Amino acid sequence: MKGDTLTPLERFLAVVSHKEPDRVPLFLFPTLHGARELDMTLTDYFTRGENIVEGQLKLREKYQHDCLTGFFYAAAEVEAWGGEVLRRDDGPFNSGRPIIRDPEQILDLSPPIVDNARCLQESIKATAGLAAECGKDVPILGVAISPFSLPVMQMGFGSYLELMHDRPALFEALMAINEEFCVDWANAQLEAGATAIVYFDPVSSTTIIPRDLYLTTGLEVARRTIPRIQGPTGTHFASGHCLSIIPDIISTGTGVIGVSAEEDLSDIKTACDGKLTIVGNLNGVEMRRWTEQDAEHAVKTAIAKAGRGGGFILADNHGEIPWHVSEETLLAISSAVDQWGRYPLDWIDADA
Amino acid sequence: MTVESYREQFRDALLKMNQEAARELLMQTAEVLTPVQRLESLIIPALIDIGDQWGCGNAALSQLYMSGRICETLIDELIPILEVRRRDLPRTAVVVLGDFHVLGKRIVCSLLRSSGVDILDYGTAEVDETLTRIQEDGVKILLVSTLMLHSALKVIELRTKRDAAGLDFKIVVGGAPFRMDEMLWHEIGADAMGQSASDALGIIENLAKEME
């Protein structure tokens, strides 16, 4: 963007140190939109790591955002366990029938070897390709589904909630297996050149489970897993609420949180108390019908609430821009960040 | 102890996902409440309350899901099937369009069945299959449960094909995309939107009155 004096990586490092860089970083996650740039269907796009590299670089050139990712789709992780992926050309791929259909199967489960899983290796190839192209200047984000959230795809949401409630020993056994996989997968991405890992943990949000349950489940899993990931991590709740568990999240050792559009950024900023950097919280669902003015208003509001003092990265609230969001809207967001994201954010007082 | 006090204790047992405590409380009330009273004064209001609490962020999805499951089990165990008042409502079905995220649908089914509503569960289905089944079953109200945006947008196809075929049923939507964007249900042409599973019964009853 015109007027930038830092590289995206320098900007990222400044905000996570809770310092004000040249402007608010913009982490767009248009993981699907690369297919449009390459004039491919989503099904074709997500077959090769090289496509992701080319798509991500084209997207960054267009939107001037501050990160890249070799991420394919969340269901790739369960695909590595032998699970089915339901491909579609109008949105993100989903996992199909659960691989764990009877809780007793957990006793015979063993984690896949990352090096042997083609779906993961294509993502590794993308991460390595992006790192080779611009890893010195742009943060490359890896993504690992938390051991605590992966079972939603492994066994289905309802069955997993019942496992947690009815079969605590099998739940713990599954966590132990998943933790090994998550650590291996996250570290493989770091080794390939990822700057940091997004620890994707929607089930830990208070939208999904109450805090009391989180304290004895998702929190303990995160405390065991995150320290074993050999690089910086950010925890993302995929638009789930997290305000009331922020002090607990801090204790996991993560450095960043992805927050919901349904929670107030001022409250989140206060709760983070300079200990966590916030990523969020533009509403990706509403974004589909935003005008240029709507985009500008949303960007200004978010920056006004959380931008001061660093510790804030503007992004959508789910970790993935929906396929139906237009190029014009993403350009409007980028332009608004360029205009209103310059430090010092003196316009906030003038607008108040 | 008053009915209100029993109800609060029952709701709290559900929020703690404590099936034994919920069962014990229902058994305690057997001396003072008929099975129908237990259903209508304790179980249904408690489930609706928990659904409302989830809708405003004060309860978690796991509590709502497990509460529904616990109540279904307790109704099966403790309330004779003939005692449950079957509600005289238009034929209603629930579906998830082209998506395997079915937790919301299961919660809606639990709450409605616990409330004495006979609901047809179409599981995950595509639009054409859903329309065929609606015609075969004479469904007048279709609940569409969604998690993903693309699944929510499939309602446009559903509504367009419904209108083109001259079919007479109402479309009620619910789920995350509609909570995240409160204009979305209007835009896609649904007839009503529920913020939470606990809204479903009221919406069905209101639509039933409109259809009379």
Side-chain angles (χ1 to χ4, degrees), chain A residues 162 165 208 283 288-289, chain B residues 17 62 65 180-181 187:
Chain A
E162 289 169 20
H165 187 261
I208 306 296
N283 185 328
R288 198 179 58 86
R289 58 175 173 78
Chain B
M17 299 181 265
S62 63
Y65 173 75
M180 296 298 290
D181 181 356
E187 182 192 331

Side-chain angles (χ1 to χ4, degrees), chain A residues 1-2 23 296 300 303 333-342 347:
Chain A
M1 291 180 195
K2 61 181 186 295
R23 69 162 165 79
E296 182 180 16
K300 283 184 74 176
I303 290 174
I333 290 169
S334 176
S335 169
V337 172
D338 192 16
Q339 184 176 355
W340 300 104
R342 299 278 157 203
W347 61 266

Side-chain angles (χ1 to χ4, degrees), chain A residues 156-159 161-162 208, chain B residues 61-62 65-66 96 100-109 145 147:
Chain A
F157 216 146
S159 300
L161 293 176
E162 289 169 20
I208 306 296
Chain B
L61 192 66
S62 63
Y65 173 75
M66 291 302 291
V96 177
F100 280 78
H101 294 95
V102 295
L103 187 73
K105 177 184 68 63
R106 287 178 67 178
I107 293 170
V108 169
C109 284
S145 173
L147 180 69

Side-chain angles (χ1 to χ4, degrees), chain B residues 14 22 40 62 74 81 92-93 117-118 123 131 149 151 173 177 184-185:
Chain B
L14 292 180
E40 301 212 335
S62 63
L74 295 179
I81 191 71
T92 301
V117 177
D118 282 322
L131 288 168
L149 179 59
S151 177
V173 296
L184 183 59
W185 72 277

Side-chain angles (χ1 to χ4, degrees), chain A residues 290-337:
Chain A
W290 276 356
T291 62
E292 198 175 313
Q293 290 72 30
D294 292 333
E296 182 180 16
H297 177 72
V299 168
K300 283 184 74 176
T301 303
I303 290 174
K305 288 188 173 191
R308 281 191 156 151
F312 176 64
I313 297 168
L314 187 75
D316 85 295
N317 85 144
H318 195 79
E320 183 168 80
I321 302 287
W323 175 243
H324 307 85
V325 174
S326 71
E327 178 179 321
E328 289 73 25
T329 299
L330 297 178
L331 285 169
I333 290 169
S334 176
S335 169
V337 172

Side-chain angles (χ1 to χ4, degrees), chain A residues 118-201:
Chain A
R118 185 182 173 275
C119 52
L120 302 182
Q121 285 307 306
E122 289 300 323
S123 183
I124 288 286
K125 202 193 293 180
T127 299
L130 291 168
E133 285 284 339
C134 45
K136 287 181 184 162
D137 292 332
V138 184
I140 314 292
L141 302 180
V143 178
I145 312 289
S146 86
F148 184 60
S149 292
L150 188 63
V152 171
M153 291 192 288
Q154 291 174 307
M155 59 190 307
F157 216 146
S159 300
Y160 179 44
L161 293 176
E162 289 169 20
L163 179 85
M164 252 190 268
H165 187 261
D166 300 339
R167 310 287 297 271
L170 285 177
F171 163 75
E172 288 299 341
L174 182 58
M175 291 305 103
I177 299 163
N178 284 357
E179 285 167 26
E180 292 309 308
F181 172 69
C182 180
V183 169
D184 286 351
W185 171 223
N187 286 336
Q189 292 176 80
L190 290 167
E191 205 172 305
T195 314
I197 297 297
V198 180
Y199 181 84
F200 212 69
D201 196 16

